[in-house]
Amino acid sequence: MIHKKPLWYWALTRCRGLQALLLILIVLTIFFRVFPLEMQKRIVNDAIRFRKIDALYLYCALYLGAVVLAGIFKYAINVIQGYIGQRILYELRTGLYRHIVRLPIPFYRRTAPGMVISSVTGELASVGDFLGGAIAVPAVNVLTLLTFGVYMFTLNPLLAVLSVAIYPFEILLIPMLQKRFNRLNSERVTTTRKLSNVVGEAISGIQEIHANAGYALEARKVDRLAKTLLDLRHRMNLYRYGIKFTNNFFQSLGPFLLFLIGGYLSITGRFSLGALVAFLSAYEKLYDPWKELMEFYQGYQDARVAYRRIQEAFDVEPEFPLKPSDRAPVALQGAVTVQDLMFEVEDRVRLLDQVSLQVSPGERVALVGLSGSGKSTLAMVMAQLYRYTQGHVYVDQWELKDLTKIDVTPHLGFVSQYPFIFDGTLKENIVYGRQAALLNGNPLPGDETGEPPLEEILRTLEFVGLTEDVLRFGLNTVLDEAKEKALGERIVRLRQQFRDQWSDALQDAVEFFDAKTFLDYSSVAVNIIFGYPVDGGRPCEILPLRPRFRRFLKEVELEEPLVRLGLDVVNRTVPLLRDLRDDPFFFRQSPIALEEMDTFQEIYEHYGAAPLERLPPSVQEVLLGLALRVVPGKHKMVVVPRELKEAILKSRSLFQQYCLQRDPNAFVYYSDTAYLGARTLLENILFGRLKEEDSWAWARITEAVVDLLKRENLFHTVLEIGLDFPVGSKGDRLSGGQKQKVGIARAFLKHPRILIMDEATASLDMASQNRIQQFLDGEIRGKITVISVAHRLETIRDYDKIAVMKSGRIVEIGRYDELVEKKGLFYELVHGHG
């Protein structure tokens, strides 16, 4: 584990074969870097001095060959070194992450998410970069220094000694500067983590920030940390560039001594010119390995600081082992016994105190109480999410804290009040527990893929009330090419049946596409082309940018009326909306978006009363784009003149002919006999658009569409498509109720022996809550143990036991009617809820 191993462990134990290959390449590279120096000496002293053309060609060819080979070997060293670094970084990152996700939940209560993210991503990268060259860099540079030093000594011992005499001063001075740099770098890492946490916290709490206009408050937090970073970075630069200055000064001092003494020896005939040239070249090449060694030293210090900080941050052991080491995983039946349970958090704050509870297999037990009574804490302890301090929790005959995660999790379903939804598809979230069990080596019997059969998933969706949501997701999906080929023809046949059966009954809910009718619930742009661009995008945004489209509008005399419509939109809406910027509701009835208000207000003020011929071309283009996005049925503030609608209708066929002659593949045109590839399934079935997005319209459409889908055996197919709906980061494309249903479905699909629900239906409407309660009362009653933290007491009337909690203790226990008759705390809770 990363938090137990020293930094050099990774460099010395990983990729040993590649490390050995690197050492071989390093030796070859050094040889071919020294060889050209000898050729330089011979070219001057032998070939040039004695005018030997053949020798000149030979030495030059050998020189060039050595340079090329040295470059090739150096390239290979860099590539291999980089791969080793990335390979070790991969192992470090994945190993650290495996450790992090197993750390106790209390660790995350006191640890900033930004620090965790920063450690796994940015801080480990510098460690990996260093480890990639931890062996190769010092080896190649030390050997290079020694080789060039020996070669220089063979040329002239005195000059060689003088050349290296300055390096001890560097070795003494640079570590002193580096030590101060490291201290500042450690502070920088801490401050960066704090900054990451503040930014991450702001993103997570963006709704609260907007609700309180806390922009300046959040900016002040970042400003304070950013200023600290500025100061640290500035001081670090003072030392960093001080190290570079020291290094460069001593490197520049060397040639001064060589020119002074070497030149004197050459003039007096005690040192040949060729040897002096070779010596100067050798000394010059000493600088690169020395510089790289200094950078390696700095890199080592950076990596050491980052690695030590990461080790310190995550030097925490998981509370429960993952797998048993000396036995097979146990098979639990569902009995839970709690005896004298105590649970304390930091500073000896006691959340549970002497709690005892007996739950038999198949029983349903409710935990109730006021906020802070400890009911959720007890549920999380029984779910093995917290490790209790004293007392006992037995599952069957096993002590819970002695069981591993693989013993417990396959038999346990846990649903929190706010289930976490992972980025990915709806299906991936629903089967998460089954997938985890498979990867942990303890899947359900017969579960070879971790993915339940589609029928089982769909049945679970029905139990939790997600079927209609998934159907909506499926119907609003644009099919990929493979699915379109498989389903396209069947959907087109379904379309015709839908029109035959439902067109009259749904006229008030759906605007069907009709080539002879102006479409009030489609944009003006769509009305002109009666289709959409092949390359995607909204026609009202793409068309104004195409010169060919502008030429067409002029030819059919539509450009001027459309620009006039755009100006009319500005004159009608800007005076009404400019003082209503705080209420987005009114902007829904206008094609002018809230963020565009300043632009159109400026046009209104300068050109609102101007004739069209006085409008600059740039303004006309903006007004044209505005007119093309007008949807008359949606934008109630706008009136499209009847004459303009008729002119647009007349232009449709002309536009298609115009495009077929000049750019036949630019658009797809609506056709009731062809599948519309870039449109949703629902639009393809309806061959039209909903006039309203309200629930009443959707309910009527759903009833009609579901009936046809079932008749054509396509209902499950559409649901399967809906399961691939991307839910977004943290499920932000789902409502709170949908998230809870996903969490409940995730737990049901595990077929647990024990189901613990911590206010798991709090965000659901009564209908959805009753549906799930019926499932608990009927389908699985007596088959699994249910422990429910309840907030709506009417849902637990038939439970076998109700444990009433206060201040971390169970103060009453019994059935619903028994507890009401006692007229104790439960009686007060019932009447308080009533």
Side-chain angles (χ1 to χ4, degrees):
M1 297 172 70
I2 180 173
H3 67 291
K4 297 294 185 184
K5 294 180 173 65
L7 179 63
W8 282 100
Y9 164 85
W10 302 97
L12 297 174
T13 62
R14 294 299 185 267
C15 304
R16 289 179 175 175
L18 288 176
Q19 299 279 22
L21 175 61
L22 270 183
L23 293 176
I24 295 171
L25 291 175
I26 286 168
V27 173
L28 292 172
T29 302
I30 292 171
F31 171 78
F32 285 113
R33 289 184 68 186
V34 174
F35 187 78
L37 301 180
E38 181 64 24
M39 292 303 100
Q40 285 182 13
K41 187 180 78 172
R42 296 191 181 191
I43 288 169
V44 175
N45 287 348
D46 190 9
I48 296 177
R49 182 180 178 187
F50 296 108
R51 292 182 171 83
K52 295 179 180 179
I53 298 298
D54 293 341
L56 178 65
Y57 291 158
L58 174 62
Y59 295 149
C60 287
L62 292 173
Y63 178 96
L64 179 62
V67 169
V68 171
L69 288 173
I72 292 172
F73 289 143
K74 182 64 175 176
Y75 172 78
I77 289 170
N78 289 336
V79 171
I80 295 171
Q81 181 180 309
Y83 175 77
I84 292 172
Q86 292 305 310
R87 182 71 193 180
I88 294 175
L89 176 59
Y90 163 79
E91 196 169 336
L92 283 170
R93 189 168 276 157
T94 55
L96 177 62
Y97 187 70
R98 287 192 185 97
H99 175 68
I100 285 173
V101 294
R102 291 189 58 209
L103 293 181
I105 289 176
F107 170 83
Y108 293 98
R109 298 283 188 264
R110 61 178 185 270
T111 303
M115 187 276 286
V116 178
I117 296 168
S118 176
S119 298
V120 175
T121 54
E123 293 175 28
L124 268 183
S126 64
V127 178
D129 290 341
F130 165 75
L131 290 173
I135 293 177
V137 171
V140 69
N141 290 296
V142 169
L143 288 175
T144 301
L145 280 172
L146 290 174
T147 303
F148 281 110
V150 170
Y151 180 74
M152 290 163 60
F153 195 84
T154 62
L155 292 174
N156 190 297
L158 175 61
L159 286 179
V161 171
L162 289 173
S163 298
V164 298
I166 60 175
Y167 288 116
F169 295 100
E170 280 193 83
I171 293 172
L172 289 173
L173 185 57
I174 288 179
M176 292 171 57
L177 297 172
Q178 185 69 48
K179 186 176 181 180
R180 290 173 172 80
F181 178 86
N182 290 345
R183 187 166 60 247
L184 293 172
N185 192 31
S186 181
E187 293 180 36
R188 178 196 61 82
V189 171
T190 301
T191 306
T192 301
R193 287 177 175 177
K194 290 179 180 177
L195 181 60
S196 298
N197 180 55
V198 169
V199 174
E201 191 176 58
I203 293 171
S204 299
I206 195 69
Q207 180 173 316
E208 200 67 26
I209 293 172
H210 279 274
N212 293 281
Y215 316 120
L217 184 61
E218 294 303 315
R220 188 174 65 182
K221 295 178 186 177
V222 171
D223 184 72
R224 188 182 302 120
L225 291 169
K227 282 183 178 177
T228 303
L229 275 177
L230 171 65
D231 178 63
L232 287 170
R233 286 286 191 182
H234 173 63
R235 291 159 62 193
M236 286 171 64
N237 285 338
L238 291 176
Y239 288 109
R240 176 186 286 116
Y241 294 122
I243 293 171
K244 286 189 175 182
F245 167 76
T246 304
N247 199 29
N248 291 335
F249 173 75
F250 283 113
Q251 290 303 320
S252 299
L253 189 61
F256 166 75
L257 296 174
L258 289 180
F259 282 122
L260 180 63
I261 300 172
Y264 174 78
L265 292 175
S266 181
I267 290 171
T268 58
R270 284 181 279 176
F271 198 36
S272 69
L273 183 60
L276 180 59
V277 171
F279 196 97
L280 287 169
S281 296
Y283 181 82
E284 187 179 315
K285 292 183 183 298
L286 274 182
Y287 175 73
D288 289 337
W290 180 253
K291 179 184 175 183
E292 288 193 27
L293 281 175
M294 290 297 100
E295 291 176 351
F296 173 79
Y297 178 73
Q298 287 181 299
Y300 166 64
Q301 295 297 331
D302 289 345
R304 188 170 66 88
V305 169
Y307 190 73
R308 186 176 67 245
R309 295 298 300 272
I310 291 171
Q311 285 184 311
E312 291 170 354
F314 301 108
D315 190 14
V316 180
E317 291 298 327
E319 289 183 321
F320 303 97
L322 179 61
K323 298 179 180 180
S325 58
D326 55 354
R327 58 173 174 79
V330 301
L332 303 178
Q333 299 304 311
V336 180
T337 302
V338 181
Q339 293 181 356
D340 301 323
L341 180 68
M342 294 176 63
F343 177 70
E344 294 179 345
V345 292
E346 292 180 357
D347 301 325
R348 302 186 65 82
V349 176
R350 186 170 296 178
L351 301 183
L352 297 176
D353 187 11
Q354 299 295 321
V355 174
S356 296
L357 179 67
Q358 178 74 43
V359 185
S360 301
E363 273 194 322
R364 296 185 300 165
V365 176
L367 305 176
V368 302
L370 297 172
S371 297
S373 60
K375 54 189 185 297
S376 292
T377 303
L378 177 58
M380 294 182 77
V381 167
M382 289 191 287
Q384 210 188 42
L385 297 177
Y386 290 149
R387 188 177 181 88
Y388 43 96
T389 312
Q390 295 180 34
H392 303 278
V393 177
Y394 295 102
V395 182
D396 299 343
Q397 74 274 21
W398 302 90
E399 179 78 48
L400 182 61
K401 65 182 177 183
D402 294 335
L403 291 176
T404 68
K405 299 302 288 186
I406 286 184
D407 290 322
V408 175
T409 52
H411 310 289
L412 175 76
F414 180 81
V415 189
S416 68
Q417 183 176 353
Y418 304 105
F420 190 85
I421 307 300
F422 297 92
D423 192 9
T425 67
L426 188 67
K427 184 177 183 181
E428 288 169 345
N429 274 279
I430 290 173
V431 303
Y432 184 86
R434 295 277 282 263
Q435 288 281 336
L438 178 69
L439 292 177
N440 287 330
N442 196 17
L444 291 177
D447 195 352
E448 298 177 354
T449 65
E451 185 172 302
L454 178 63
E455 293 74 17
E456 184 180 350
I457 295 175
L458 297 183
R459 188 168 63 250
T460 305
L461 296 181
E462 187 66 32
F463 290 149
V464 302
L466 259 178
T467 302
E468 185 174 333
D469 299 293
V470 176
L471 176 67
R472 184 191 290 263
F473 296 152
L475 289 175
N476 286 308
T477 296
V478 176
L479 298 181
D480 59 33
E481 189 174 343
K483 289 181 179 177
E484 183 184 322
K485 285 183 179 179
L487 293 176
E489 292 184 6
R490 299 179 68 185
I491 295 298
V492 171
R493 289 199 299 270
L494 195 71
R495 175 194 299 166
Q496 190 57 50
Q497 295 179 43
F498 184 87
R499 294 289 288 271
D500 292 344
Q501 185 173 348
W502 295 95
S503 59
D504 292 337
L506 295 173
Q507 283 288 348
D508 57 341
V510 180
E511 181 179 65
F512 297 102
F513 295 146
D514 186 342
K516 299 179 181 179
T517 304
F518 186 90
L519 307 174
D520 283 323
Y521 290 87
S522 292
S523 68
V524 168
V526 170
N527 270 284
I528 294 173
I529 62 176
F530 197 62
Y532 52 88
V534 170
D535 53 4
R538 299 174 62 197
C540 56
E541 296 172 353
I542 293 173
L543 293 179
L545 304 177
R546 295 187 174 181
R548 186 172 292 168
F549 178 72
R550 298 284 300 275
R551 287 197 296 270
F552 169 77
L553 293 181
K554 286 182 180 180
E555 288 182 17
V556 297
E557 299 180 351
L558 267 179
E559 185 177 46
E560 184 178 320
L562 288 175
V563 172
R564 185 177 290 109
L565 174 64
L567 187 60
D568 184 53
V569 172
V570 169
N571 288 332
R572 285 175 179 269
T573 59
V574 168
L576 294 173
L577 297 179
R578 60 185 170 187
D579 297 324
L580 298 172
R581 298 181 191 228
D582 295 334
D583 194 342
F585 171 79
F586 293 99
F587 282 86
R588 297 175 195 165
Q589 300 183 43
S590 167
I592 295 177
L594 176 60
E595 59 272 14
E596 299 175 320
M597 195 61 197
D598 289 339
T599 299
F600 286 106
Q601 184 170 342
E602 186 176 345
I603 291 175
Y604 171 75
E605 292 171 353
H606 287 84
Y607 305 105
L612 293 187
E613 58 270 15
R614 284 190 52 204
L615 299 180
S618 59
V619 173
Q620 291 191 31
E621 184 174 319
V622 171
L623 294 175
L624 174 62
L626 178 62
L628 289 172
R629 68 171 97 147
V630 169
V631 179
K634 176 183 176 183
H635 300 139
K636 306 295 186 181
M637 295 182 182
V638 181
V639 177
V640 180
R642 181 174 56 82
E643 297 80 6
L644 180 56
K645 289 183 178 181
E646 293 174 354
I648 289 172
L649 275 176
K650 290 179 181 178
S651 73
R652 270 188 194 167
S653 59
L654 296 175
F655 179 77
Q656 292 187 18
Q657 294 172 18
Y658 183 87
C659 289
L660 289 173
Q661 293 172 3
R662 293 164 177 80
D663 197 355
N665 298 317
F667 297 95
V668 173
Y669 304 104
Y670 291 149
S671 167
D672 58 4
T673 60
Y675 188 88
L676 308 176
R679 291 297 176 261
T680 66
L681 267 176
L682 182 62
E683 286 179 309
N684 269 282
I685 294 172
L686 299 182
F687 195 60
R689 285 204 177 97
L690 293 180
K691 292 183 178 180
E692 302 289 344
E693 297 293 336
D694 295 333
S695 57
W696 70 269
W698 172 253
R700 296 186 63 189
I701 297 297
T702 302
E703 179 184 357
V705 170
V706 166
D707 178 60
L708 285 175
L709 289 174
K710 288 181 175 179
R711 270 195 273 158
E712 292 295 316
N713 293 320
L714 282 173
F715 183 65
H716 284 184
T717 302
V718 175
L719 290 178
E720 187 174 11
I721 292 169
L723 285 170
D724 289 329
F725 175 72
V727 297
S729 176
K730 298 181 182 179
D732 61 2
R733 300 183 68 189
L734 301 178
S735 68
Q738 289 170 336
K739 291 177 184 179
Q740 279 204 322
K741 291 176 184 178
V742 170
I744 297 169
R746 181 191 293 162
F748 283 176
L749 272 175
K750 291 177 69 175
H751 301 301
R753 300 298 304 173
I754 302 171
L755 177 64
I756 299 178
M757 304 177 73
D758 184 6
E759 299 193 32
T761 58
S763 297
L764 300 184
D765 56 71
M766 289 301 297
S768 298
Q769 192 168 174
N770 290 337
R771 179 192 292 270
I772 293 170
Q773 195 61 47
Q774 287 172 9
F775 176 70
L776 296 175
D777 291 343
E779 186 80 14
I780 61 174
R781 185 166 187 171
K783 298 178 183 177
I784 67 173
T785 304
V786 176
I787 300 171
S788 176
V789 176
H791 68 291
R792 293 178 181 169
L793 301 183
E794 66 272 12
T795 63
I796 58 173
R797 284 181 176 273
D798 296 331
Y799 272 48
D800 300 299
K801 291 175 185 171
I802 299 172
V804 186
M805 299 191 68
K806 180 180 180 180
S807 302
R809 291 173 173 265
I810 294 179
V811 295
E812 294 178 348
I813 191 165
R815 294 182 64 87
Y816 189 98
D817 294 336
E818 296 171 355
L819 293 175
V820 170
E821 287 178 8
K822 285 184 178 180
K823 294 192 175 181
L825 179 57
F826 185 73
Y827 177 85
E828 294 178 9
L829 292 172
V830 170
H831 284 268
H833 280 70

